[in-house]
Amino acid sequence: PDGSLTASVLTDLAADPGEESNVRDEPKHAEALSWGKERLHLRIKESKELTPQKSRKPLSPLKLKITPNHQDLLQSIDGFGGSIAFWGTNPDERAMHYAFKELKVSILRVQGEVSPRGAVDHNKEVLQRAMKINPRLRVLLTFWQPRSSQLQRQADWLDVVEGEHGKRYELKPEMEDAWADEIIRRARRYLDWGIKVTAIGVQNETNYSHPGTQTCAWDPVRLRDFIEKKLEPRMKQADLRLKIAAPDLAYVGYRGSEISRFLPTIRSEAVDLVAYHMYDSYKKGMDGRITVLRDNSREIGRIRRNEFPQKRFWMTETTGAQWNNDVWHTYGWTDQASEFDKAILAAQYLHMTLADAEANAFLWWGLIYSLAPDWQSDPKVRQKHRDEGLVLVTEKVGSEGRQRFLEKTKKFFVLKQYANFIEPGTRRISIDFPQPLLVSAYQKSEEKKGVIVCINPSEKEIDLAVNLPTAARLRKAFQTDQLLNCAEVDPRSHLPPQSVRTILYDY
C-alpha cells in the first residue's frame, strides 16, 4: 500500500522453467532486469491512473440514433500510416509485425536526406524489412533539411535569416539547383533499394524553423518556383513518376491562415498532394480546448473545397494532444490528462482529419518509437516519448542488435479502429449523428460493405441505434475503451463512456 519494495526476483525461464532460481544479481541479466523494472513501474503507475467508471443508472442510458447516407459520396481514403524517423529505426521483428501487419498501415513516411553524421543508408534496412512484410506499402520520402554526403554542414546549404517570428534557416539561393539534384539522387537511391517510393515531400514543416534545429523555412512563392522550375523538370528528365507533396505545414493557423498563405504553392499544377501537420498549439492564457482545433479543421476543409478540390489532401504528422514544451501544448491537452485520456483525444484528431478537414490520409508521427534515453531525467520529456509512439521499443539497441519491442500503446488501438477496417479506395459518406457523439461513415460500394466509426468522448453511456436501409444487416463491431483494445463486441450493445467503436455492416 505504501509503495515500498518487499521482494525482487528475476528468473531465466529458458534455463529454469520451474522458477526456482533468482538471477537478479547476475551481470549478464542486468539489461533484462532494468527493462523489467521499468515495465513494472509503468504498470503500477497506469493502474493508479485508471479512473473507475462513474456510477450511472444502468437502465437509462442516453438513447441516440445515427443514419448513414449512401447517396452522399464524399472524399476517398488513401490510407493510414505514420513515420519512422530518428527514434525507432532499428526495431525488432515483433515491433515490425505489430506496425506493418497487425496495424495494417498503408503509408509510411520516412526521412529522405543524408543523416547529420553523413550516413546515406540510415533508413535502408528498416524500409526493406517493412516492404517485405507489406509489399503494397507506399512510401512518402520527406526531406527535413538540405544535406548531402559531400556537403554535410548546415552552413554549406543554409542562411540564417531574420523572419517575422525571429531568426530561421533558409536555403541559400545559389544552392537551389544543387538541392534539386540531390533530391533526385536520393529518390533514385531509395527506388534502387527496392523501396516503393510513390511521393516526395519537398520540405518538412516549411513554416517552422529555428537555428540549431533540423529545419528549413520557405516562402510560399519561392517554394512554388523551386518546385516548378527546379524540381519537377529534373524529375521528368530522370523519368521519376512520383507525386510531389507540399507544403507540409507544421500548423495550419487560426481559421487555416497558413493554408491560405501557402495557396501560391498549393495551387501549382506541379503539386499533387497538399500536406499539413496537426501541431497547432496554445500557451497559458489562451483557449486550449480541442474545439479550437475542430473549428480550424472545418475551415481548412472549406478552403480545400473552394481552392483545391481535385488535389489529394494528407495530414502527414501529429502526436495528438500532448505537452510539447514548457510553453506550448497541442490543443486538447491538460496537465491532468492520462495516457488513456490522450488516446481518446487522438481519436478525435482522427475524426477531425477525415470528417472536418476532409483529408484523404492520416499519418501519426511515431509509428515505431523509442522510450526517452536514460540520461533524460525530465519526467515530462520522458512522458512525451510515450505519448508520441504507437509501437514502443527500447531506446538502446540490445544484445541481439535490435531495439526490443516494449508495448503497443492505447493510441495504437485507437488508430487500429480506423486502419484495420477502412481500406485505401474506400469512400467516406455523410452520416447524421447527435451530440455528444463524433461519427464518420465509409463504404465500398462495389462490395456493398459499410463501416461506421463512433467516438463517445463523454462520460455518458449511450444506447446506440444504427438506422440502416431495410435490407442491410449489422455484421461485427470492434471497440477500444479503458479495458478493451480493438476487441470484438456486440454491435447492439451500449456504447460505454470514452470509447471508440467500429461497426461493420452489409447493405
Side-chain angles (χ1 to χ4, degrees):
D2 63 1
S4 60
L5 182 69
T6 58
S8 177
V9 178
L10 181 70
T11 301
D12 183 353
L13 292 177
D16 179 17
E19 301 184 46
E20 297 178 357
S21 61
N22 187 355
V23 297
R24 177 191 62 191
D25 298 323
E26 295 184 18
K28 68 178 181 178
H29 296 295
E31 183 182 350
L33 179 64
S34 176
W35 176 80
K37 285 181 176 179
E38 185 164 358
R39 295 296 93 200
L40 180 60
H41 175 75
L42 171 67
R43 293 305 175 214
I44 293 173
K45 178 174 178 289
E46 286 180 339
S47 68
K48 292 178 179 179
E49 286 181 347
L50 280 176
T51 55
Q53 298 287 349
K54 294 185 178 181
S55 60
R56 54 183 179 268
K57 297 179 180 179
L59 299 179
S60 58
L62 190 63
K63 294 185 177 182
L64 299 176
K65 181 169 66 174
I66 56 177
T67 305
N69 183 354
H70 293 269
Q71 283 68 49
D72 190 9
L73 296 177
L74 304 171
Q75 84 271 23
S76 62
I77 303 302
D78 293 335
F80 300 87
S83 299
I84 289 187
F86 303 114
W87 289 102
T89 58
N90 195 16
D92 66 11
E93 290 306 311
R94 284 184 70 192
M96 293 289 289
H97 172 84
Y98 292 137
F100 297 104
K101 198 76 171 180
E102 180 180 341
L103 193 53
K104 296 183 180 178
V105 298
S106 52
I107 305 170
L108 178 60
R109 183 169 175 261
V110 69
Q111 183 184 14
E113 72 271 16
V114 170
S115 78
R117 297 183 179 181
V120 299
D121 60 352
H122 56 299
N123 293 319
K124 175 183 177 181
E125 186 184 32
V126 70
L127 285 169
Q128 289 179 330
R129 293 167 64 201
M131 294 301 304
K132 187 174 181 179
I133 296 172
N134 180 6
R136 299 175 64 185
L137 190 68
R138 290 174 290 168
V139 173
L140 170 60
L141 191 65
T142 300
F143 295 87
W144 263 249
Q145 191 171 67
R147 188 180 300 106
S148 69
S149 55
Q150 294 79 28
L151 299 172
Q152 297 177 24
R153 300 179 307 149
Q154 289 173 329
D156 294 328
W157 296 92
L158 304 172
D159 287 328
V160 178
V161 178
E162 191 69 42
E164 182 182 352
H165 302 291
K167 294 181 178 180
R168 66 183 195 175
Y169 287 132
E170 290 185 3
L171 180 66
K172 294 177 183 289
E174 66 272 19
M175 295 299 289
E176 286 192 6
D177 288 292
W179 182 228
D181 288 335
E182 178 64 13
I183 289 176
I184 299 300
R185 280 194 294 269
R186 293 297 295 166
R188 271 278 176 225
R189 184 181 292 269
Y190 277 81
L191 290 166
D192 289 343
W193 288 336
I195 310 304
K196 191 178 179 180
V197 177
T198 59
I200 291 176
V202 181
Q203 174 64 59
N204 176 67
E205 299 188 345
T206 53
N207 60 339
Y208 172 80
S209 179
H210 183 73
T213 60
Q214 201 166 323
T215 57
C216 179
W218 287 79
D219 170 83
V221 173
R222 186 185 178 193
L223 180 59
R224 177 200 65 193
D225 291 346
F226 174 77
I227 293 171
E228 289 182 349
K229 299 176 182 179
K230 307 289 185 179
L231 183 59
E232 187 189 37
R234 285 170 168 81
M235 290 177 63
K236 289 181 178 178
Q237 185 177 14
D239 197 27
L240 283 179
R241 302 180 184 182
L242 308 175
K243 297 184 183 301
I244 294 177
D248 218 23
L249 300 171
Y251 56 94
V252 299
Y254 179 65
R255 297 188 64 80
S257 58
E258 288 294 276
I259 292 280
S260 296
R261 186 167 73 89
F262 271 84
L263 282 175
T265 304
I266 291 169
R267 290 190 183 115
S268 171
E269 292 185 4
V271 173
D272 306 289
L273 300 175
V274 179
Y276 74 100
H277 297 172
M278 292 181 82
Y279 287 127
D280 288 68
S281 300
Y282 73 96
K283 60 182 178 180
K284 188 175 181 180
M286 296 173 61
D287 185 352
R289 292 176 299 168
I290 199 168
T291 52
V292 177
L293 186 60
R294 182 163 296 124
D295 289 341
N296 289 347
S297 297
R298 288 171 178 162
E299 187 61 21
I300 65 174
R302 185 194 66 79
I303 296 171
R304 185 263 177 95
R305 291 192 301 273
N306 292 338
E307 300 290 347
F308 51 98
Q310 303 305 315
K311 292 180 184 281
R312 313 310 287 173
F313 196 31
W314 286 14
M315 199 294 297
T316 52
E317 186 179 324
T318 189
T319 51
Q322 67 161 75
W323 176 91
N324 199 33
N325 54 46
D326 287 332
V327 178
W328 293 98
H329 323 292
T330 43
Y331 283 105
W333 178 86
T334 63
D335 193 39
Q336 298 77 33
S338 67
E339 287 192 18
F340 176 74
D341 294 330
K342 286 177 276 192
I344 296 299
L345 287 165
Q348 296 181 58
Y349 272 60
L350 270 151
H351 177 84
M352 285 185 283
T353 298
L354 301 174
D356 294 323
E358 302 180 27
N360 304 97
F362 179 96
L363 278 66
W364 192 258
W365 166 232
L367 176 60
I368 300 178
Y369 213 61
S370 83
L371 297 182
D374 292 340
W375 54 262
Q376 180 56 256
S377 59
D378 188 334
K380 290 184 177 179
V381 177
R382 296 192 68 82
Q383 182 61 45
K384 187 173 187 287
H385 268 255
R386 292 190 54 81
D387 289 341
E388 294 183 351
L390 299 181
V391 178
L392 293 179
V393 295
T394 56
E395 189 265 332
K396 293 181 179 178
V397 173
S399 56
E400 70 284 356
R402 300 286 189 203
Q403 293 170 283
R404 185 191 302 115
F405 165 76
L406 295 176
E407 67 178 287
K408 296 173 281 186
T409 66
K410 186 65 80 168
K411 291 175 182 176
F412 172 97
F413 295 102
V414 165
L415 182 57
K416 186 176 177 180
Q417 294 281 155
Y418 288 81
N420 267 216
F421 308 104
I422 305 170
E423 299 175 4
T426 301
R427 291 286 295 271
R428 187 170 74 90
I429 59 175
S430 66
I431 183 167
D432 296 326
F433 61 90
Q435 292 183 343
L437 288 172
L438 296 172
V439 185
S440 57
Y442 312 83
Q443 72 174 28
K444 293 187 71 174
S445 57
E446 69 278 5
E447 298 178 17
K448 297 292 184 180
K449 294 184 182 299
V451 179
I452 299 173
V453 184
C454 303
I455 304 169
N456 178 11
S458 75
E459 297 293 337
K460 301 176 181 178
E461 184 179 46
I462 294 175
D463 181 1
L464 184 65
V466 184
N467 186 26
L468 295 175
T470 304
R473 67 180 182 90
L474 293 174
R475 290 195 295 124
K476 293 182 177 181
F478 297 82
Q479 184 169 297
T480 294
D481 53 37
Q482 279 197 342
L483 300 177
L484 301 179
N485 292 324
C486 201
E488 188 169 353
V489 295
D490 183 345
R492 297 172 180 81
S493 62
H494 290 177
L495 188 62
Q498 293 188 296
S499 61
V500 184
R501 179 177 293 178
T502 303
I503 300 169
L504 310 181
Y505 64 94
D506 298 326
Y507 65 94

